[in-house]
Amino acid sequence: MRIATTLTGIAASLLLASTAHANETLDVDMHKVSVDGVEESIGTISLEQTDDGLLLTPSLSDLEPGVYGFHVHQNASCEPAENDDGEMTAAQAAGGHYDPEETGTHQGPYGDGHLGDLPVLTVNDDGEANLPVLAPRLSMENMPGRALMIHEGGDTYSDEPHLGGGGGRMACGVVES
C-alpha cells in the first residue's frame, strides 16, 4: 500500500510538473531600435508553448497603427551593426530570419520557408499591439538565443520584394534562455 501511495504521488507530481512546463511563459522585453542602438521600452511579448505551436502575446504601446512584419531572428542581439553594404543598420546584429533548415526562402508562418516567419503584428488605433499570434512550426525549444523583430512595413510572406517588403527594423527583443 505504501509503495502504491508513493508511486501515485510521484505520478501526480510528474503530471503537474509537465502541465506547468507546458503552460510556462517567457516574457521578452521589446525596445525601439535605431542606428544609435537599443532605445526605450515599448512593452513585452509573452511566449507560451501550446499543443498547436508557440503562442506570442504582445503587450506593446507607443507604435504607429498598422500591420507590421514580425519575425524570429537568428542572434540574441538588438544592437546596430554594419549591413552587407557597409552601412550601420538598426538591430543588424540580430542577423537574418531564423532558418535552421537553410531554406533560404520567406514563405510565412504556415509555409516551408524560414522557421522564424511569424504572423503579422497588428497595432490598433491607440498604438497598442495586444492581439496574440500563433507560430505553428515553432516551440519554446527554438527560442533561447534568438531575437524577436518588428519591421517598419507589412509582410507579404514572399521573397519579392525583398523578404516580403517588411522594411527596416523598428523594434527588437532578446529571448533569454
Side-chain angles (χ1 to χ4, degrees):
M1 179 75 166
R2 182 176 210 149
I3 293 174
T5 303
T6 301
L7 290 175
T8 302
I10 291 170
S13 295
L14 289 172
L15 180 61
L16 286 173
S18 69
T19 302
H21 178 70
N23 294 326
E24 181 180 330
T25 61
L26 176 65
D27 289 336
V28 178
D29 292 323
M30 298 295 292
H31 295 264
K32 289 185 179 179
V33 293
S34 73
V35 295
D36 296 322
V38 178
E39 299 179 352
E40 70 268 15
S41 174
I42 58 169
T44 62
I45 296 178
S46 295
L47 309 178
E48 181 180 357
Q49 185 65 53
T50 72
D51 290 341
D52 297 314
L54 189 65
L55 184 67
L56 296 94
T57 305
S59 180
L60 305 174
S61 59
D62 295 327
L63 297 168
E64 290 295 318
V67 177
Y68 297 93
F70 186 34
H71 306 100
V72 176
H73 281 244
Q74 185 66 37
N75 305 320
S77 178
C78 294
E79 295 297 324
E82 286 186 14
N83 64 18
D84 292 338
D85 296 329
E87 297 176 15
M88 288 302 288
T89 303
Q92 186 67 29
H97 295 177
Y98 178 51
D99 190 18
E101 300 296 321
E102 298 181 6
T103 64
T105 185
H106 182 78
Q107 296 182 18
Y110 304 100
D112 293 326
H114 302 152
L115 194 57
D117 290 346
L118 299 174
V120 294
L121 184 78
T122 303
V123 177
N124 65 26
D125 289 339
D126 295 326
E128 299 171 345
N130 50 31
L131 185 64
V133 298
L134 182 68
R137 300 184 305 137
L138 281 174
S139 72
M140 287 289 260
E141 293 174 357
N142 301 121
M143 299 308 294
R146 310 278 171 242
L148 292 178
M149 192 73 64
I150 302 171
H151 292 268
E152 293 173 342
D155 197 334
T156 62
Y157 304 127
S158 67
D159 294 324
E160 296 300 328
H162 182 68
L163 297 180
R169 300 165 186 209
M170 68 179 225
C172 179
V174 172
V175 181
E176 303 291 336
S177 47

